[in-house]
Amino acid sequence: MVGFPSSVHMTVDKEKVENILRSDDFGINQVRSVVEDHDLVVSKGEVEPMIDALLASEWTEEQFEDLIDHFEEIQLEKSPWGYYVGDISDYPNFTDSPVHTELKEQLNLNPAKREDGELLREGFELDTVTESEITGIYWTQTQTFRLNALRKLTSIERTYDMGFDIDLENDIILINTDNYGKLNEMLKELRDIGLKIDPVGHHDLLHEDSLEQIDAFVSELKAGLRKAKAQQPITKYTDGESPPLLDIDVVKIRLESALKRANLEGHQDIFEHDVVRELTQEEKGRIVHLKGEFEFEEEDFNFHVGYTEKLGRVRIQKKGQIKRDVEVVEEAFNFIYDFYEDYFINY
Amino acid sequence: MERDNQFEVQFLLSLMIVVLGVLASQQLSEFASIVVGGSFLLISSVHLLLISVHYSFNQVSKFEGSTIRGINRWSRRTLRLTTLAFLYMVFHILFSASNLTSIPAINWGPSVEQTIIAFGVPFLPVVLIYGAFRRKIRDTLRVSEDLSFTIVPEWLKVYHNPEETKPLRITVENSGEQTYDLDFEMTVPDPLLVKYDHEWQSGVIEESFELGPRSRKPLDFELKHESTTRKTILLKAQFTHGSDIHNETIECDLRL
C-alpha cells in the first residue's frame, strides 16, 4: 500500500476534543489559539461559538495530537511543582552490588502491578534507574467504609500514586504527593528495605540559630532574585519603584505544644512583625514554614517552603496567564530549590 | 498628615532668625522687649530640642517606646506654643510701636499704661486668633481623631484571574462617641475591574453609610484586570464627611 499522507482524516473522537476544550484549564485565550491554528474565523469573541466552530470542523490525528500536547503543556505550566524532601542517611547494604543496583532490587521485591488502569498490587513501579538517580511511583490503595450522602454505608476504594526521585549523588529523596498521610506508608516501606531517611529542617539547631537560617534564606533569596532580574534584558515595562520581588505573606511558627500562623499582611520584614516577634522571641518558637510569592523571569509564582517533623517541603505554582512556557516553571523551581538546599538541608 | 520634619525645622529657624534680626536691629529693638524676644527664643529652642531628639531616636530604632511617644506629644504642644509666642511677639512690637499711649481714658500713669499696652494687650489678638482657629478646626480635629482608615495591602499585584489576586480591604473605624455620615467614592480606571457588593464594576463606585459611635466598617474588594500589557495604575478611594475629605491611594501592578 502506498503510504497515507499524514493529514488523512481518520475518525478523531470529537467527544474527547470537546472534553479538552471545555476543561477548566483551557481558557478562552487557549481556545482562541486553537481556532487560529485551524485557520478558522469566528466572528463573535465568545467561547461557545468558538467551540462549536471547532467541533464542526474536521480534525486530523495530527491536530488531535497537537491539542493533547497543548493541554499537557497547560497542565505542566499551571500545576504546582513541589516535593517533600528527605535526607538519605543510609542505603540498603546487604550485598556487594553498587548502591543503585541494590536499591533497585530491593524496590523490585515489592512491585506494583497494574492492568487496564486498575491497581492489582500495591508497590513500587520504577521509571528510570541510573547510577545517580532512581525515579518511580509508589502505588497504594485504600478501601474505607463511610456513610454516603443518603446516609447509607458504602465502601470507597481510592488509589494513590506518589512520585519519588532518589538522588544518589546528593543523598536526597524528593517525593511528589499531596497526601501527607499516605506518605508515611511509603516511608515505612523504604525503611524496611534499608533506606534510612532523616528529616530535613532545623530540628537539630538551637532556637536562635534556626531563626538565623530562616533570615539568611530570605535575604539570600531576595538578593538572588534581584540579581537574576538585573540580568534580564530591559523590557518596555520600566518603573521607578517596583513592588518587591519576594513577598512573604504567611509564616508558621512551631511552639512546644502548637503550630501558630502569622499573617504578615503586606509587611516586608518577617522579624519586625509583632506576632512573629512575640512568638519567636518570647515563646521561643521556630519558623517552620514560609508562604509567599516571588517574581522570576517576569513571571509570578506562589511558593511554600518549610519542614515538618519528618520531611522538608518546597513547592511553587505559577500565577497569571498561560504563556505555554513550561521551562520557566522548572527553572523557577530549581532556582528556589538551590537556596532551600543551602539553608534547610546543607546548612 | 505626616509631619514634615525638614520643613518644620526650616520654618522654625527662619522664625528665630527674624526674631534675632528684630532684636539686633536698632530701630525695631526699642519696640521689642528683650524679655519677649528671649521667651520666644527659649520656647522655640525647647521645641527644636524635642524634635531633634525624636527624629534621631526614630532613625536608630523603629520602635516607638512610650518615652518617644511622650516626646512626640510634647513636641506638638511646643510647636503650637512657638507659633503663638511668635504671634504674640509680632503684636507686642506693633502695640509698642503704635501711639496708643495717648488714650485719655486710661490714666494710670505712662509707664503702667505702656506696660499694659505693650505686654498685656497683645495677648488679646493671640487668644482671639487661637480661639477662632480652634473653633473652626475643632470639628475637623475631632473627625480626624475619631476616624481612622486602614488599607490592606497598600499595593497589589492584579491578575486576570481574581482568585490569584489578593483581596483588598479598607476598614474605617470610629473610636469617638459621635455618629458620622460618610460618603465613599472609589475611582476604578480601565482596565481594572473591582468586585464590590457582589458586582464587578469599573468607573466610579459610590456608597454612603453611617458609622455609629465606637464601631467599624470593613469594605472588601476583589480585583482583576483585562489589560494585555503590564502597567501600574492607581486606585483612588475617597471618604467625605461634610467638607472634610480623606484620600487613600492603592498602587495596582497589573500582571500578565
Side-chain angles (χ1 to χ4, degrees):
Chain A
M1 229 192 293
V2 179
F4 286 113
S6 57
S7 55
V8 159
H9 171 59
M10 313 262 257
T11 32
V12 167
D13 189 347
K14 288 279 178 71
E15 205 181 306
K16 288 195 182 140
V17 171
E18 189 172 357
N19 280 336
I20 291 181
L21 291 176
R22 286 193 191 283
S23 65
D24 286 333
D25 294 319
F26 221 86
I28 185 168
N29 287 326
Q30 307 309 312
V31 176
R32 200 175 286 134
S33 79
V34 178
V35 165
E36 281 165 14
D37 286 344
H38 281 234
D39 288 325
L40 292 174
V41 176
V42 181
S43 52
K44 293 196 215 131
E46 283 148 25
V47 158
E48 277 306 315
M50 286 198 266
I51 294 184
D52 288 338
L54 283 168
L55 291 174
S57 71
E58 291 194 353
W59 281 75
T60 64
E61 279 276 335
E62 201 181 317
Q63 284 175 321
F64 185 59
E65 295 289 323
D66 284 344
L67 184 68
I68 297 202
D69 285 343
H70 188 166
F71 187 62
E72 186 184 39
E73 264 176 36
I74 294 175
Q75 293 290 307
L76 285 171
E77 190 178 335
K78 280 307 258 185
S79 300
W81 189 306
Y83 302 97
Y84 283 97
V85 186
D87 192 2
I88 301 176
S89 57
D90 212 1
Y91 291 95
N93 201 2
F94 307 119
T95 72
D96 283 331
S97 322
V99 177
H100 70 285
T101 320
E102 183 154 359
L103 190 52
K104 169 182 140 198
E105 281 174 16
Q106 288 291 327
L107 290 169
N108 277 331
L109 290 178
N110 193 2
K113 269 204 193 72
R114 291 196 304 144
E115 210 177 271
D116 290 338
E118 279 234 3
L119 186 67
L120 302 172
R121 188 189 186 282
E122 294 184 337
F124 293 96
E125 182 187 322
L126 297 181
D127 190 42
T128 60
V129 178
T130 69
E131 220 171 65
S132 53
E133 193 185 29
I134 294 183
T135 66
I137 299 183
Y138 177 68
W139 292 93
T140 63
Q141 203 169 53
T142 328
Q143 192 173 66
T144 50
F145 288 95
R146 59 171 267 251
L147 293 180
N148 72 2
L150 291 173
R151 314 214 108 225
K152 289 215 180 85
L153 200 66
T154 54
S155 80
I156 307 244
E157 204 169 73
R158 274 214 192 104
T159 305
Y160 298 93
D161 56 335
M162 262 170 267
F164 60 88
D165 183 337
I166 301 175
D167 181 350
L168 295 158
E169 275 173 16
N170 294 313
D171 299 328
I172 294 279
I173 177 168
L174 297 173
I175 303 167
N176 182 13
T177 178
D178 275 326
N179 198 324
Y180 188 61
K182 277 286 162 185
L183 197 50
N184 283 317
E185 270 185 44
M186 182 171 106
L187 292 178
K188 182 177 175 302
E189 295 286 327
L190 292 173
R191 238 189 345 256
D192 286 344
I193 63 171
L195 191 70
K196 219 174 151 270
I197 297 173
D198 281 348
V200 155
H202 305 139
H203 301 277
D204 57 347
L205 288 180
L206 291 181
H207 153 260
E208 309 87 69
D209 295 337
S210 79
L211 294 175
E212 245 179 60
Q213 290 296 324
I214 299 277
D215 195 16
F217 170 77
V218 173
S219 28
E220 289 300 309
L221 179 56
K222 254 190 217 162
L225 288 169
R226 227 175 284 136
K227 217 167 85 167
K229 180 151 183 152
Q231 287 166 357
Q232 290 264 292
I234 299 173
T235 58
K236 284 177 254 171
Y237 174 64
T238 49
D239 45 0
E241 228 189 74
S242 45
L245 297 173
L246 180 69
D247 180 25
I248 297 181
D249 35 56
V250 177
V251 164
K252 287 197 193 151
I253 297 167
R254 176 159 286 288
L255 305 173
E256 290 296 318
S257 54
L259 187 66
K260 300 259 166 134
R261 266 174 77 109
N263 226 313
L264 294 184
E265 279 185 355
H267 291 249
Q268 278 313 305
D269 198 325
I270 314 178
F271 292 101
E272 300 223 349
H273 189 263
D274 291 335
V275 178
V276 176
R277 223 189 8 248
E278 188 193 311
L279 292 173
T280 55
Q281 307 298 346
E282 287 163 44
E283 298 194 43
K284 302 273 181 194
R286 290 157 177 264
I287 295 181
V288 296
H289 187 105
L290 301 167
K291 169 184 173 296
E293 283 181 28
F294 66 92
E295 184 189 317
F296 181 75
E297 284 184 21
E298 312 255 313
E299 296 293 339
D300 298 306
F301 296 87
N302 277 327
F303 76 91
H304 290 254
V305 302
Y307 57 96
T308 65
E309 265 135 40
K310 297 224 172 71
L311 298 165
R313 184 100 166 105
V314 191
R315 194 178 114 133
I316 67 169
Q317 187 172 21
K318 184 170 162 306
K319 290 176 77 150
Q321 287 187 297
I322 307 267
K323 305 219 180 58
R324 297 190 72 169
D325 182 358
V326 180
E327 272 162 24
V328 76
V329 184
E330 187 170 2
E331 280 166 21
F333 180 80
N334 290 332
F335 185 84
I336 199 172
Y337 183 75
D338 277 342
F339 291 95
Y340 186 79
E341 237 183 331
D342 288 340
Y343 295 99
F344 285 84
I345 307 177
N346 299 329
Y347 49 86
Chain B
M1 223 173 87
E2 286 278 302
R3 216 160 149 186
D4 190 346
N5 275 308
Q6 195 184 1
F7 177 75
E8 202 173 314
V9 172
Q10 284 176 342
F11 171 70
L12 209 62
L13 289 175
S14 327
L15 288 187
M16 286 170 94
I17 290 174
V18 167
V19 170
L20 284 169
V22 164
L23 291 175
S25 124
Q26 285 191 319
Q27 283 99 329
L28 292 173
S29 61
E30 60 178 274
F31 301 120
S33 149
I34 194 86
V35 172
V36 173
S39 330
F40 169 78
L41 288 173
L42 182 69
I43 294 173
S44 43
S45 309
V46 169
H47 178 68
L48 260 182
L49 179 74
L50 287 177
I51 59 178
S52 11
V53 168
H54 181 257
Y55 179 74
S56 62
F57 273 92
N58 240 359
Q59 297 313 304
V60 168
S61 130
K62 292 195 196 147
F63 284 103
E64 266 213 350
S66 56
T67 326
I68 296 292
R69 273 202 298 268
I71 293 181
N72 199 16
R73 258 200 316 271
W74 273 100
S75 72
R76 271 181 239 239
R77 291 179 196 154
T78 50
L79 180 62
R80 248 174 285 173
L81 261 177
T82 313
T83 318
L84 293 173
F86 185 72
L87 271 176
Y88 177 80
M89 183 155 170
V90 168
F91 281 108
H92 164 77
I93 296 175
L94 280 175
F95 283 119
S96 296
S98 73
N99 281 330
L100 288 177
T101 49
S102 56
I103 299 175
I106 304 169
N107 211 1
W108 299 327
S111 60
V112 179
E113 246 172 44
Q114 272 182 321
T115 319
I116 293 177
I117 289 173
F119 291 92
V121 179
F123 275 110
L124 209 58
V126 170
V127 168
L128 281 173
I129 290 175
Y130 187 62
F133 176 70
R134 283 291 299 214
R135 219 185 9 244
K136 267 229 136 171
I137 70 153
R138 183 182 45 192
D139 288 331
T140 319
L141 261 182
R142 181 149 34 114
V143 171
S144 61
E145 271 166 15
D146 284 346
L147 295 179
S148 67
F149 301 86
T150 327
I151 300 206
V152 168
E154 276 175 19
W155 62 261
L156 200 30
K157 284 192 207 176
V158 185
Y159 299 91
H160 279 214
N161 183 355
E163 284 170 33
E164 290 183 336
T165 312
K166 277 190 218 166
L168 176 69
R169 169 174 275 212
I170 304 180
T171 317
V172 190
E173 265 184 30
N174 177 9
S175 50
E177 301 301 326
Q178 205 193 346
T179 306
Y180 291 95
D181 283 313
L182 290 171
D183 290 318
F184 168 68
E185 192 182 290
M186 176 179 264
T187 317
V188 185
D190 267 340
L192 193 61
L193 285 154
V194 169
K195 186 173 182 187
Y196 182 64
D197 209 10
H198 308 290
E199 251 183 69
W200 282 101
Q201 314 176 31
S202 78
V204 177
I205 300 177
E206 283 177 328
E207 187 177 318
S208 301
F209 55 88
E210 224 177 63
L211 199 56
R214 305 201 69 77
S215 68
R216 68 195 274 268
K217 185 171 168 81
L219 299 160
D220 289 301
F221 307 91
E222 273 179 55
L223 288 94
K224 70 177 181 187
H225 77 89
E226 289 174 343
S227 168
T228 47
T229 55
R230 278 175 66 161
K231 52 176 122 173
T232 310
I233 56 182
L234 293 174
L235 190 57
K236 297 204 174 95
Q238 192 179 78
F239 291 90
T240 320
H241 166 74
S243 53
D244 300 315
I245 302 180
H246 178 90
N247 281 312
E248 296 279 358
T249 30
I250 300 117
E251 203 180 298
C252 298
D253 187 9
L254 306 186
R255 320 281 278 186
L256 294 179

